């Protein structure tokens, strides 16, 4: 029997390693782009920081009103996850939040090497769809519910909470998100008159007059008559102007619930009520969440989220249906509610216009826990 020497054995072993390396290299790399995808990446015009914020801050602000997520968090996550929309993955999938497929995703998908070599990412028809899905994703998952207890201006708690809830595996995710928000000053968007405040900051940093400044108005010039310098500050894109026009039309026959404007008592045959800072209607016979959502130019998912109900819940005549997100706490004088027979925590959240998860947290009970007659429930 011939014994293989150490040198010969080492050579064979080395050849085996090289062969394995070549074999692995020949396997399809999830990051390898198709010809169509390569064209998209090659033709993509990279956006600067200011350009990206200018283009997408209005959608972040819209999602703030629809889903109750700070605009700075939405925009900051998009910036962090997509590299200002310039990453290859965001270009070919329109996925600006790196949201993975999960079990309930029925749309198109793209495999991409991330935490694992074959991670599955959602593919959207448009970037707008990505922003909408992000709002729905965060606002409808139970593990993110605690985030809505934080103030909309508390971006640091939101960032840390997203990491705690498992949005990303990066151990420095919260710190990186906070850094993006502070470096870009987009936290200003969540303050009172946020868009105006951000415009003022940006104009000052560029050494120009902000859009709609008083000097222009005193000289008889509107912001529309400004020179091309206006492009450097954030002015509503065409679709936003069209939305504003639609909102004015609403004033004749109802409210646009997304704008938190005024209380008007009729909207397409429905009386619109106002409690605890929030508008709602009372369901009629044969109403569904989808039918009411359509009347108020909202998605069914948004309506269900506003009313703290899951996808299987059915609407009944006489049910309260909020058409915007409820408040975090009761704004009236009463501090406590004494439970009457048959009342549930969800029922109280609807009566008082308080988010169910907030009411649950304040009272340290689960949303589904039965209430006892005479039990005291904190309202704020």
């Amino acid at each position: 029997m011939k014994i293989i020497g150490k040198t010969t054995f080492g050579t064979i072993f080395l050849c085996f390693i090289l062969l394995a390396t070549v074999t692995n290299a020949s396997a399809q790399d999830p990051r390898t782009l198709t010809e169509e995808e390569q064209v998209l990446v090659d033709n993509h015009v990279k956006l600067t920081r200011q350009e990206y914020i200018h283009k997408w801050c209005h959608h972040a602000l819209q999602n703030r009103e629809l889903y109750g997520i700070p605009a700075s968090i939405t925009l900051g996550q998009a910036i962090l996850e997509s590299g200002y929309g310039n990453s290859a993955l965001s270009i070919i999938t329109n996925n600006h939040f790196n949201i993975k497929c999960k079990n309930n995703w029925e749309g198109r998908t793209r495999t991409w090497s991330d935490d694992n070599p074959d991670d599955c990412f959602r593919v959207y028809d448009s970037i707008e769809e990505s922003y909408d899905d992000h709002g729905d994703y965060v606002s409808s998952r139970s593990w993110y519910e605690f985030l809505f207890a934080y103030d909309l201006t508390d971006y640091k708690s939101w960032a840390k909470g997203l990491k705690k809830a498992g949005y990303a595996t990066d151990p420095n995710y919260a710190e990186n998100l906070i850094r993006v928000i502070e470096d870009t000053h987009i936290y200003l968007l969540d303050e009172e008159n946020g868009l105006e405040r951000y415009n003022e900051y940006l104009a000052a940093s560029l050494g120009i007059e902000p859009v709609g400044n008083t000097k222009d108005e005193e000289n008889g010039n509107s912001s529309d008559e400004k020179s091309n310098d206006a492009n450097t500050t954030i002015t509503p894109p065409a679709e936003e102007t069209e939305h504003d026009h639609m909102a004015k039309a609403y004033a004749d026959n109802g409210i646009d619930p997304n704008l938190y404007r005024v209380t008007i008592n009729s909207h397409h045959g429905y009386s619109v009520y106002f409690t605890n800072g929030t508008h709602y209607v009372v369901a009629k016979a044969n109403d569904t969440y989808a039918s009411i959502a359509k009347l108020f130019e909202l998605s069914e998912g948004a309506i269900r989220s506003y009313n703290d109900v899951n996808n299987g819940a059915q609407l009944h005549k006489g049910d309260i249906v909020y058409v915007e997100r409820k408040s975090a706490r009761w704004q009236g004088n009463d501090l406590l509610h004494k439970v009457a027979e048959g009342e549930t925590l969800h029922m109280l959240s609807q009566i008082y216009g308080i988010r169910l998860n907030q009411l649950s947290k304040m009272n340290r009970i689960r949303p589904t826990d039965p209430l006892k007659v005479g039990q005291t429930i904190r309202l704020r």
Side-chain angles (χ1 to χ4, degrees):
M1 178 177 175
K2 187 174 181 180
I3 300 175
I4 299 176
K6 289 183 178 180
T7 302
T8 305
F9 179 79
T11 302
I12 294 173
F13 181 74
L14 179 60
C15 289
F16 176 80
I17 294 296
L18 289 173
L19 178 62
T21 302
V22 171
T23 301
N24 288 336
S26 64
Q28 180 65 41
D29 183 348
R31 295 190 184 222
T32 301
L33 305 181
T34 65
E35 290 185 12
E36 183 180 359
E37 290 171 340
Q38 191 64 58
V39 170
L40 286 175
V41 172
D42 291 343
N43 291 336
H44 174 74
V45 178
K46 285 195 172 183
L47 296 175
T48 65
R49 180 171 81 176
Q50 290 174 4
E51 287 171 337
Y52 187 88
I53 295 172
H54 167 84
K55 190 168 185 178
W56 295 109
C57 75
H58 292 274
H59 219 83
L61 284 165
Q62 177 180 306
N63 278 18
R64 180 181 188 270
E65 305 305 326
L66 282 174
Y67 301 105
I69 303 168
S72 58
I73 288 292
T74 297
L75 201 55
Q77 283 194 279
I79 289 169
L80 188 60
E81 299 284 356
S82 74
Y84 296 98
N86 298 320
S87 72
L89 180 61
S90 67
I91 294 169
I92 65 176
T93 65
N94 287 321
N95 189 337
H96 280 214
F97 298 90
N98 280 355
I99 297 180
K100 295 180 180 177
C101 299
K102 306 298 181 184
N103 295 332
N104 64 336
W105 178 248
E106 298 178 353
R108 292 182 294 134
T109 64
R110 176 59 158 90
T111 301
W112 194 262
S113 179
D114 189 52
D115 296 325
N116 301 297
D118 56 350
D119 278 331
C120 178
F121 288 87
R122 301 182 180 191
V123 177
Y124 303 101
D125 292 332
S126 66
I127 299 171
E128 289 87 350
E129 188 179 331
S130 173
Y131 269 76
D132 292 341
D133 190 47
H134 172 267
D136 181 68
Y137 184 84
V138 173
S139 64
S140 63
R141 267 56 180 184
S142 59
W143 51 91
Y144 293 124
E145 281 186 359
F146 72 95
L147 293 173
F148 294 91
Y150 301 131
D151 193 275
L152 287 169
T153 61
D154 189 2
Y155 61 88
K156 291 183 180 179
S157 292
W158 272 84
K160 293 173 183 176
L162 283 166
K163 175 65 183 85
K164 179 182 178 181
Y167 189 95
T169 56
D170 180 1
N172 298 316
Y173 187 80
E175 291 76 11
N176 292 337
L177 179 54
I178 291 170
R179 187 179 303 111
V180 164
I181 292 171
E182 293 181 342
D183 286 350
T184 58
H185 288 73
I186 56 177
Y187 58 83
L188 293 170
L189 293 171
D190 291 311
E191 297 180 2
E192 190 174 357
N193 300 320
L195 193 56
E196 180 182 341
R197 292 204 61 187
Y198 184 82
N199 271 336
E200 290 173 352
Y201 149 73
L202 186 57
S205 67
L206 296 172
I208 62 175
E209 290 291 340
V211 170
N213 63 83
T214 53
K215 288 183 179 179
D216 284 338
E217 293 171 356
E218 289 170 1
N219 293 331
N221 298 324
S222 68
S223 59
D224 294 333
E225 295 172 327
K226 287 196 69 171
S227 68
N228 290 336
D229 281 345
N231 291 329
T232 57
T233 56
I234 296 181
T235 54
E239 61 268 27
E240 201 68 25
T241 302
E242 183 179 348
H243 178 76
D244 288 344
H245 175 73
M246 181 185 72
K248 291 175 183 176
Y250 263 85
D252 295 330
N253 60 2
I255 64 166
D256 179 353
N258 300 331
L259 297 181
Y260 297 83
R261 293 287 170 84
V262 294
T263 304
I264 299 177
N265 62 7
S266 178
H267 181 80
H268 293 295
Y270 285 78
S271 293
V272 180
Y273 303 97
F274 190 74
T275 188
N276 205 32
T278 313
H279 293 97
Y280 70 91
V281 297
V282 176
K284 301 177 181 180
N286 302 319
D287 275 345
T288 65
Y289 287 106
S291 66
I292 291 182
K294 186 176 181 181
L295 287 177
F296 285 89
E297 304 280 342
L298 297 168
S299 69
E300 182 181 352
I303 283 283
R304 288 183 177 275
S305 175
Y306 296 160
N307 291 276
D308 299 304
V309 294
N310 58 35
N311 290 334
Q314 301 298 312
L315 196 58
H316 303 95
K317 181 180 178 181
D319 284 351
I320 291 173
V321 185
Y322 285 92
V323 292
E324 53 193 18
R325 182 171 288 279
K326 292 178 285 188
S327 297
R329 58 188 59 83
W330 177 242
Q331 298 171 17
N333 294 325
D334 296 333
L335 298 176
L336 304 171
H337 173 89
K338 186 172 288 188
V339 176
E341 186 174 356
E343 289 183 336
T344 65
L345 202 63
H346 179 263
M347 186 185 298
L348 297 181
S349 80
Q350 293 294 91
I351 292 171
Y352 286 100
I354 306 171
R355 297 173 205 158
L356 180 58
N357 65 312
Q358 303 283 29
L359 204 54
S360 171
K361 183 176 180 179
M362 278 190 288
N363 291 277
R364 298 183 179 181
I365 56 177
R366 290 187 293 268
T368 55
D369 282 351
L371 304 182
K372 298 178 181 179
V373 175
Q375 181 178 349
T376 299
I377 297 296
R378 284 185 56 196
L379 302 176
R380 57 187 174 95

